[in-house]
Amino acid sequence: MIGVIVLRDLLAPVLLLASAWVMPSVAKPTVPFGVRVPPERVRDPLIAEQRRIYRWWVGVAGSALVVAGLIVGVVVQQVLVPVLVVVALLGVVAPAYVRARAVIRSAKRREDWYQGLRQTVTADTSRVTRPPFPWLWAVPALLVLAATVALGVVRYPDLPATLALHYTASGAPDRTAAKSVGSAFGLVFVQAGLTVLFCVLAYVAPRFRPDLDPARPKASAGQYRRFAATLPRLLLLFGACVNLTIALAAEQIWSAPASISVAPIILPTLVGVAGLLVFAVRYGQGGSRLETADEPPRDAVERDDDRFWKGGLLYVNRADHAVFVPKRFGIGWTLNFGNPVAISGFVVLIAAVITVPLVVG
């Protein structure tokens, strides 16, 4: 029992802590903590110092929170404990990020790092615009979905008249519903929707605009192509992990146990998150950590576009028609909140996140 509690209380906080700690290395070197800097400033001692301070604070304070949460979890044995630890970790990471960003931005303005530099934008006109969809990598998610549907169809006639749809933090059922297709297969419908979502993301992700380095356009384009070719495959495998978690949760509803253990259910998804983290560390944002052939640097730097980035996290540029742009602190892409299409899509997504659980429940 203690081992299950330790597994449950450690997985999510440790993954979050590890992600936060490595994120400065995952981000492109020219946007430390969301601040655009010229290539010659990438190794500036001030930036290196801010990385050290950020990692020291996140590592020490975050580790203390994880250990404290583990002790409390073993004593009180509540599923809510790791959730509270995750929230507390965010309260540690956010101030550390804000502080590092503020120091770098202040030095950049004070010393006018972009004075006399030629700022340009580079586009990869030779990039394949419609790369093939990696169908084979979608098979695991589709197989898990098919197996869940088949199991549900077989189990449905023998299900009890009343199904437990929700459990308390201690694992006891606290919400039930009469047996019906909606109550029995609600999670399967969510599973199918997420499968479609991951397939769509895997299809469109390589088509998003890359963030290339005008000083070394060929090398950075090659990095991005490798990144864009691998990430869709990983997204599809992550979708399979999420599907497996949902399949395990659906099995809990169909078997109607007196209590449940959350750790085995969420374990596949956490494994998928760990895989994404390994990918992020290996590739870096946009493939920035990948090795490339030597290329003579050109007399050009990326455009200083900090004014369009709120906090280095939210991109708001009404003059930019792109819906998705590469993240500055993290892996993958984020929405352009200055684009009406992006805003509409974000509203629809939030509405779906709020509505679906209510309908299923």
Side-chain angles (χ1 to χ4, degrees):
M1 181 63 178
I2 296 298
V4 173
I5 294 173
V6 171
L7 178 65
R8 179 198 71 194
D9 292 353
L10 275 182
L11 281 177
V14 167
L15 283 175
L16 175 60
L17 179 60
S19 299
W21 195 87
V22 304
M23 205 52 65
S25 296
V26 171
K28 289 189 64 176
T30 51
V31 283
F33 297 98
V35 181
R36 179 77 73 185
V37 301
E40 61 266 23
R41 294 284 183 172
V42 165
R43 294 179 175 82
D44 192 286
L46 180 138
I47 295 177
E49 181 184 18
Q50 295 314 306
R51 287 199 184 99
R52 286 194 299 268
I53 294 174
Y54 169 88
R55 283 182 170 144
W56 184 90
W57 175 247
V58 169
V60 173
S63 297
L65 279 174
V66 171
V67 172
L70 177 60
I71 295 173
V72 173
V74 171
V75 173
V76 302
Q77 298 186 13
Q78 293 290 322
V79 178
L80 193 60
V81 171
V83 177
L84 296 177
V85 173
V86 166
V87 173
L89 283 174
L90 293 176
V92 167
V93 174
Y97 168 83
V98 170
R99 180 198 171 280
R101 172 178 166 78
V103 172
I104 296 173
R105 287 192 71 191
S106 177
K108 173 184 173 180
R109 291 173 177 175
R110 182 176 62 254
E111 300 173 14
D112 196 6
W113 287 359
Y114 273 87
Q115 182 179 14
L117 299 178
R118 186 168 67 92
Q119 302 179 38
T120 64
V121 176
T122 301
D124 184 5
T125 56
S126 64
R127 186 166 60 97
V128 178
T129 56
R130 293 186 179 275
F133 182 80
W135 287 106
L136 288 178
W137 295 83
V139 170
L142 295 174
L143 286 178
V144 174
L145 173 61
T148 308
V149 172
L151 180 61
V153 170
V154 172
R155 296 285 298 274
Y156 186 78
D158 299 322
L159 294 181
T162 301
L163 300 176
L165 300 182
H166 189 268
Y167 290 81
T168 64
S170 60
D174 65 345
R175 189 166 73 238
T176 60
K179 171 186 171 182
S180 68
V181 173
S183 60
F185 289 89
L187 287 179
V188 179
F189 296 145
V190 173
Q191 191 184 46
L194 289 176
T195 302
V196 173
L197 176 62
F198 280 113
C199 287
V200 170
L201 289 176
Y203 177 80
V204 301
R207 292 159 175 77
F208 295 152
R209 185 182 67 196
D211 187 11
L212 304 182
D213 183 2
R216 37 193 296 277
K218 291 183 179 180
S220 59
Q223 289 175 316
Y224 183 83
R225 289 171 190 160
R226 292 165 62 188
F227 171 83
T230 305
L231 183 57
R233 302 169 184 174
L234 194 60
L235 285 174
L236 292 172
L237 291 180
F238 180 66
C241 293
V242 173
N243 276 1
L244 186 54
T245 285
I246 296 176
L248 294 174
E251 169 59 22
Q252 294 290 341
I253 293 177
W254 298 333
S255 60
S259 64
I260 66 169
S261 177
V262 176
I265 296 176
I266 65 173
L267 182 58
T269 295
L270 293 178
V271 169
V273 173
L276 289 173
L277 180 59
V278 171
F279 168 80
V281 174
R282 171 68 180 85
Y283 279 71
Q285 171 64 318
S288 58
R289 293 176 62 87
L290 296 174
E291 294 183 359
T292 62
D294 292 335
E295 179 182 2
R298 301 185 181 185
D299 181 22
V301 298
E302 295 168 291
R303 182 183 57 175
D304 182 11
D305 53 356
D306 283 354
R307 65 186 182 279
F308 299 123
W309 287 89
K310 310 305 178 184
L313 301 173
L314 298 180
Y315 183 70
V316 184
N317 186 356
R318 294 179 177 82
D320 190 345
H321 296 294
V323 176
F324 290 92
V325 294
K327 288 182 179 180
R328 285 198 166 183
F329 197 74
I331 198 79
W333 296 266
T334 186
L335 289 170
N336 173 14
F337 287 94
N339 188 311
V341 175
I343 296 175
S344 300
F346 181 74
V347 171
V348 171
L349 178 61
I350 294 299
V353 170
I354 296 174
T355 304
V356 170
L358 296 177
V359 173
V360 173

